[in-house]
């Protein structure tokens, strides 16, 4: 096939087509939309061999990777169709947002492409879809299948185009009501900044970006399982998966033996034509990717030690890159994600286990993490401490299954919610309240020399960590105690007070249901899969309109019950009342610094504080736009602006998701003997 990249007029036409199709699609009953998605799933299965062939020719995917690719796309279609029917957003007063811009990468040209598109469609939005330039043909073929299945014209407007051209033209376009992106961390941050500068900011961005994925192997691990999982996780798909293993930490006592076994397994790998079933590893995507990997090899040759390099076929011009195993002295030598089949080994001493986990967190990335150990306590400790979105215990760390291991990272690795998880669709619907607010926006007051302007979040950060460790029961009972004292406030309008308190108490009950135990997810026998919710840390809460006091209280309690700390910023008028509230909270047993209030002038500094985990702003706040803009000037992770007024969505947004997948059949032998005291 051949492609021609879209020009400005074509890009405009795509946005116009998706916009024109929106009203009709949004009004289509959910069962009808879901049936179209399921029809497409069936069509993909019917055209499976053809699609695998295109993935192989266009993206260099091996046949097994092609099989998994089609299967994942099918899973996404059926999963989001079912979740949208179940959620019944319309009945809850939530509607689609409008046109969603979906920007997808080449490494899962069908699965990620259709994952984004199907979620947006299931929620009732229409889509401008921008697949990666390298894999436009498979997207074009998918669109033909969609037409054959009866999707109305314009519901998905496909743009075969250069990323930058589409970004520059459509991201500022007010018709685009949300952006879904999977790709590099750099482009993700660029998109966040562009969206923040729009007059109608905040515009939701769901970004899935890179990782620096590590696996820790201690001396109790079963070496055969480790080798199998390292080779799969590091080299399958030529390491071109966001989830792929990049850094392998081996306890020094077993390192030599395990390295020797990995090298043995690497000798068996066949790099070559991905169309041949005998091939394990195909080419990398293009010359640019190859040059990037070769640059990294030069860097490693100077800073590390080559342990093994696979053979590649001797052909003319090609983009094969030989899988390599390198030893490096420490993780900090790796400054960025290297997207290819290179596994870096770092040795560690048993006593340094916790330090290794801390180093992994310090990278700022948080996508996948693996641990191999037959000591359950070590596995659970790592699963708990490592701030990654997907944790894999005694198994490989790639190939997340839709609905079983919801996928996505935190920090520099993405914004959440997780793809193929229960919260994904909720980002794609709206109460419509933000839109009402576009006029009458205010700037944030400048810090200047006003009191409170030099606050930092350091104390609040420590308080959040201690509070989260106290456990749910204690947090809930402290908050209930506070609410009891709040109910006795004399000066309030009793009716309003009762209404607020009932809503907040309901929220606490919902939080208990949600947080008491991780949600266990369906999966095959021998595998345990669960979805955990963890606090974001320090959250800012903007208090700028006394008509919203009840909703502010709801926001504060929702954040606190999940284990976050709250630093509120109040206008002069609201300051005294909320300071009194802090005193009431502290007398009810809430720790100091967990909930505090500063004047609004401190916003300037606090919004840029490195410890910040997110900001809660009322959907109708006149400072919403200014906060969105300020937040986007930060370096590093894209932080959430939590502006939703629906309480359950609000609670979910104060939390981050973590999928934990355990191979429960892997702990060969009686591992409990190893943890006995004598
Ligand atoms: P990779 O390095 O994996 O190709 P990119 O982030 O460059 O990652 O690309 C992922 C997707 O983002 C592709 O579809 C690409 O065309 C698109 N893209 C790249 N730059 C921009 C941009 N400035 N605006 C919008 N989309 C972009």
């Amino acid at each position: 096939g051949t492609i021609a990249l879209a020009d400005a007029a074509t890009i405009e036409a795509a946005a116009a087509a998706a916009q024109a199709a929106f009203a009709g699609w949004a009004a289509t009953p959910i069962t009808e939309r879901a049936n179209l998605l399921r029809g497409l799933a069936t069509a993909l299965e019917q055209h499976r061999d053809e699609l695998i062939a295109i993935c192989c020719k266009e993206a260099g995917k091996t046949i097994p990777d092609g099989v998994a690719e089609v299967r994942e796309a099918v899973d996404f279609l059926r999963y989001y169709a079912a979740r949208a029917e179940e959620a019944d957003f319309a009945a809850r007063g939530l509607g689609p947002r409008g046109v969603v811009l979906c920007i997808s990468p080449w490494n899962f040209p069908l699965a990620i492409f259709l994952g984004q598109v199907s979620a947006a469609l299931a929620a009732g939005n229409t889509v401008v879809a921008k697949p990666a330039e390298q894999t436009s043909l498979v997207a074009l073929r998918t669109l033909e299948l969609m037409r054959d299945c009866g999707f109305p014209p314009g519901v998905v407007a496909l743009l075969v185009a250069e990323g930058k051209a589409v970004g520059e033209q459509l991201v500022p376009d007010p018709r685009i009501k949300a952006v879904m992106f999977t790709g590099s961390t750099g482009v993700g941050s660029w998109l966040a900044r562009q969206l923040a500068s729009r007059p109608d900011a905040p515009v939701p961005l769901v970004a899935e970006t890179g990782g620096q994925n590590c696996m820790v192997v201690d001396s109790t691990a079963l070496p055969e399982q480790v080798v199998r999982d390292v080779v799969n996780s590091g080299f399958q798909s030529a390491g071109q998966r966001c989830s792929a293993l990049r850094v392998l930490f081996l306890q020094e006592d077993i390192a030599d033996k395990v390295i020797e076994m990995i090298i043995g397994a690497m000798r068996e790998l066949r790099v070559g034509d991905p169309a041949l079933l005998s091939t394990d590893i195909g080419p990398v995507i293009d010359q640019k990717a190859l040059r990037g990997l070769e640059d990294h090899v030069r860097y490693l040759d100077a800073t590390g030690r080559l342990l093994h390099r696979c053979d590649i076929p001797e052909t003319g011009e090609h983009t094969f890159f030989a899988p390599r195993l390198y030893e490096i002295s420490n993780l900090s030598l790796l400054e960025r994600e290297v997207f290819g089949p290179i596994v870096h080994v770092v040795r560690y001493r048993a006593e340094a286990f916790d330090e290794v986990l801390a180093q992994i967190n310090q990278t700022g990335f948080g996508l996948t993490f693996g641990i191999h150990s037959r000591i359950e306590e070590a596995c659970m400790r790592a699963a708990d401490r490592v701030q990654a979105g997907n944790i894999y215990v005694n198994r490989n760390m790639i190939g997340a299954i839709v609905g079983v291991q919801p996928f996505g990272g935190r920090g520099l690795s993405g914004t959440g919610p997780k793809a193929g998880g229960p919260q994904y669709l909720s980002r794609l619907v709206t109460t419509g309240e933000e839109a009402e607010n576009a006029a009458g926006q205010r700037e944030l007051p400048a810090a200047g020399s006003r009191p409170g302007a030099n606050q930092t979040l350091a104390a609040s950060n420590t308080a959040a960590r201690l509070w989260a460790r106290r456990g749910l029961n204690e947090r809930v009972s402290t908050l209930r105690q506070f609410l009891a004292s709040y109910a006795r406030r004399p000066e309030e309008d009793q009716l309003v007070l009762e209404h607020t308190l009932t809503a907040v108490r309901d929220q606490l009950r919902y939080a208990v249901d949600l947080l008491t135990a991780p949600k266990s997810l369906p999966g095959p026998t021998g595998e345990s899969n669960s979805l955990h919710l963890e606090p974001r840390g320090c959250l800012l809460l903007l208090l700028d309109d006394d008509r919203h006091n009840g909703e502010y209280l709801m926001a504060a309690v929702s954040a606190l019950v999940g284990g976050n700390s709250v630093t509120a910023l109040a206008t002069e008028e609201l300051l005294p009342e909320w300071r009194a509230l802090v005193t009431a909270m502290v007398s009810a047993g809430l720790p100091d610094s967990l909930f505090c209030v500063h004047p609004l002038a401190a916003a300037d500094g606090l919004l840029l504080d490195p410890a910040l985990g997110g900001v809660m702003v009322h959907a109708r706040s006149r400072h919403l736009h200014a906060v969105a803009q300020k937040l986007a000037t930060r370096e590093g992770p894209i932080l959430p602006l939590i502006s939703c007024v629906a309480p359950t969505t609000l609670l979910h947004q104060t939390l981050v998701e973590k999928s934990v997948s355990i191979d429960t059949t892997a702990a060969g032998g009686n591992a409990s003997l190893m943890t006995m005291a004598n």
Side-chain angles (χ1 to χ4, degrees), residues 103-106 130-134 162-164 167 181-184 187 190-191:
I103 304 171
S104 48
W106 47 262
K130 213 302 287 172
E133 296 88 316
Q134 295 93 330
E162 196 222 341
K164 193 158 170 278
F181 169 75
T182 303
S184 56
V187 175
W190 182 84
L191 289 168

Side-chain angles (χ1 to χ4, degrees), residues 519-531:
K519 184 179 168 66
S520 70
L521 298 170
T525 303
E527 196 176 270
S528 140
N529 293 288
S530 53
L531 188 62

Side-chain angles (χ1 to χ4, degrees), residues 146-171:
M146 288 184 99
R147 266 184 224 132
D148 297 346
C149 288
F151 281 85
V155 159
V156 177
L158 186 75
L159 272 180
V160 172
E162 196 222 341
K164 193 158 170 278
V166 174
E168 282 173 0
Q169 191 171 336
L170 290 189
V171 176

